[in-house]
């Protein structure tokens, strides 16, 4: 694919998805530069930037170029900026946030477009984030499986992760996760979506929030869901991002899963996340 970018440098990091973008200051850019970033986002599904110094206001301003902000109901927000969720792990904490393959906010009726994560403090080693392409996962399925999945919808829920069920969760007890009373909104989405911007088909279930296929019991659904969860994280469909202080990753929640690696015990990791409003998903 020709690299026809004029204002930014785009370096793919893996065959399946992911590209690093340089030559950009996210705190301030013109519309032409933003248009190229948007083009790269559509092409690579997750884009990475290094050496950014953005204030919370600048983080919000960059996010608002894409869409409205979808305020996370469960993560502890910044006191000064309720639209910025804190993704924190302190040296004495064991559980991290996002340490299972998922896509953000699939439990919302209108799922999120994407998320923009800014690294404020990172461990000396570890804490990488993995991403998987749900375009590639869908495309690698047999025609028979594709046809079966295209006829299905699935229920997604926040209850089992963020609701009263999970009261013993460390991050609940230490206040990183809250508002269990708001974990009530289940949502039905097609299992295979047509991406609203790229027109490509993508698998849209995930291990953290999908509960069952519509019209199927959970017991009936789980074996096929487990097959898809294993299938979706084959190394060929993934990339891995190593953070530095000042790095930013922006991923497409309709086309990717991500997984935050929890391998930095005794060290602190502090990230600021903004999640963007999307549109209703269709098959
Ligand atoms: C998340 O799941 O949104 C957090 C990812 C990360 O901290 O790497």
């Amino acid at each position: 694919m020709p690299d026809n970018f004029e204002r930014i440098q785009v370096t793919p990091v893996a065959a399946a998805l992911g590209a690093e973008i340089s030559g950009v200051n996210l705190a301030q850019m013109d519309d032409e530069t933003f248009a190229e970033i948007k083009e790269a986002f559509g092409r690579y599904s997750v884009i990475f930037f290094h050496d950014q110094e953005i204030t919370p206001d600048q983080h919000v301003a960059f996010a608002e170029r894409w869409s409205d902000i979808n305020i996370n109901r469960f993560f502890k927000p910044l006191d000064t900026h309720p639209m910025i969720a804190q993704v924190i792990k302190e040296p004495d904490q064991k559980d991290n946030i996002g340490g299972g393959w998922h896509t953000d906010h699939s439990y919302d009726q209108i799922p999120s477009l994407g998320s923009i994560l800014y690294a404020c403090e990172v461990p000396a080693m570890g804490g990488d984030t993995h991403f998987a392409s749900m375009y590639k996962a869908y495309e690698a399925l047999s025609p028979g499986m594709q046809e079966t999945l295209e006829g299905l919808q699935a229920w997604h829920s926040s209850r089992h992760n963020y609701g009263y069920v999970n009261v013993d969760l460390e991050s609940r007890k230490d206040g990183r996760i809250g508002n269990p009373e708001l974990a009530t909104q289940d949502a039905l989405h097609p299992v295979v979506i047509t991406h609203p911007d790229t027109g490509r088909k993508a698998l849209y279930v995930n291990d953290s929030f999908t509960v069952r296929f519509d019209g199927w019991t959970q017991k009936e659904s789980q074996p096929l869901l487990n097959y898809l969860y294993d299938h979706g994280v084959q190394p060929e469909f993934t990339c891995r991002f190593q953070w530095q202080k000042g790095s930013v990753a922006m991923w497409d929640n309709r086309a990717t899963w991500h997984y935050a690696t929890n391998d930095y015990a005794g060290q602190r990791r502090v990230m600021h996340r903004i999640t963007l409003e999307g549109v209703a998903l269709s098959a």
Side-chain angles (χ1 to χ4, degrees):
M1 186 177 290
D3 178 346
N4 53 1
F5 299 103
E6 288 176 0
R7 291 171 178 261
I8 60 177
Q9 288 79 55
V10 179
T11 309
V13 300
L17 80 171
E20 282 193 17
I21 298 183
S22 56
V24 174
N25 176 4
L26 294 183
Q28 178 190 355
M29 76 187 69
D30 56 28
D31 290 346
E32 290 76 13
T33 303
F34 178 67
E36 291 201 353
I37 292 174
K38 216 168 173 181
E39 169 67 24
F41 181 67
R43 210 180 273 187
Y44 296 104
S45 302
V46 52
I47 50 179
F48 306 112
F49 307 84
H50 287 298
D51 302 321
Q52 302 294 318
E53 269 184 47
I54 51 171
T55 63
D57 281 339
Q58 288 164 338
H59 192 174
V60 169
F62 177 62
E64 286 177 339
R65 278 180 166 268
W66 297 83
S67 82
D68 290 341
I69 292 172
N70 176 330
I71 299 181
N72 186 285
R73 314 193 270 293
F74 309 115
F75 293 10
K76 191 169 187 231
L78 275 188
D79 289 341
T80 51
H81 292 74
M83 63 290 277
I84 299 183
Q86 301 186 73
V87 178
I88 297 188
K89 184 169 175 256
E90 299 290 354
D92 62 340
Q93 292 170 338
K94 289 194 172 53
D95 298 346
N96 70 342
I97 291 175
W101 282 103
H102 66 286
T103 190
D104 297 331
H105 289 220
S106 71
Y107 49 76
D108 284 344
Q109 307 287 338
I110 308 284
S112 157
L113 178 162
S115 301
I116 306 171
L117 191 67
Y118 176 55
C120 303
E121 194 173 332
V122 294
M125 179 66 76
D128 296 356
T129 307
H130 299 253
F131 296 89
S133 167
M134 291 304 106
Y135 294 137
K136 294 287 180 193
Y138 168 77
E139 287 161 9
L141 292 167
S142 66
M145 179 62 90
Q146 288 177 342
E147 198 182 326
T148 301
L149 297 177
E150 279 170 31
L152 294 174
Q153 302 199 91
W155 286 98
H156 298 243
S157 180
S158 57
R159 292 171 205 266
H160 52 287
N161 280 328
Y162 301 132
Y164 286 110
V165 184
N166 221 352
V167 283
D168 287 333
L169 198 67
E170 182 197 41
S171 51
R172 165 73 58 71
K173 289 182 178 160
D174 62 32
R176 284 178 289 165
I177 301 284
N179 297 333
E181 71 284 1
L182 300 182
T184 52
Q185 189 193 38
D186 296 346
L188 188 63
H189 304 301
V191 169
V192 177
I193 59 160
T194 300
H195 192 287
D197 298 328
T198 66
R200 291 176 70 183
K201 286 189 176 176
L203 189 62
Y204 195 75
V205 289
N206 71 90
D207 198 2
S208 294
F209 301 122
T210 307
V211 180
R212 63 182 174 86
F213 298 114
D214 189 41
W216 298 29
T217 65
Q218 194 178 353
K219 199 171 171 192
E220 289 166 342
S221 305
Q222 208 57 55
L224 180 51
L225 287 171
N226 286 343
Y227 168 77
L228 296 172
Y229 300 152
D230 288 345
H231 168 80
V233 298
Q234 292 174 57
E236 290 77 5
F237 308 154
T238 71
C239 72
R240 176 178 187 143
F241 184 57
Q242 201 169 2
W243 297 90
Q244 300 159 10
K245 179 176 158 52
S247 301
V248 172
M250 176 172 176
W251 57 85
D252 187 330
N253 279 317
R254 291 84 52 100
T256 64
W257 293 342
H258 58 282
Y259 177 102
T261 313
N262 189 7
D263 60 352
Y264 51 97
Q267 299 183 75
R268 191 165 196 251
R269 184 175 184 271
V270 180
M271 321 290 270
H272 288 177
R273 194 182 91 185
I274 293 182
T275 304
L276 299 167
E277 288 285 7
V279 295
L281 295 175
S282 49

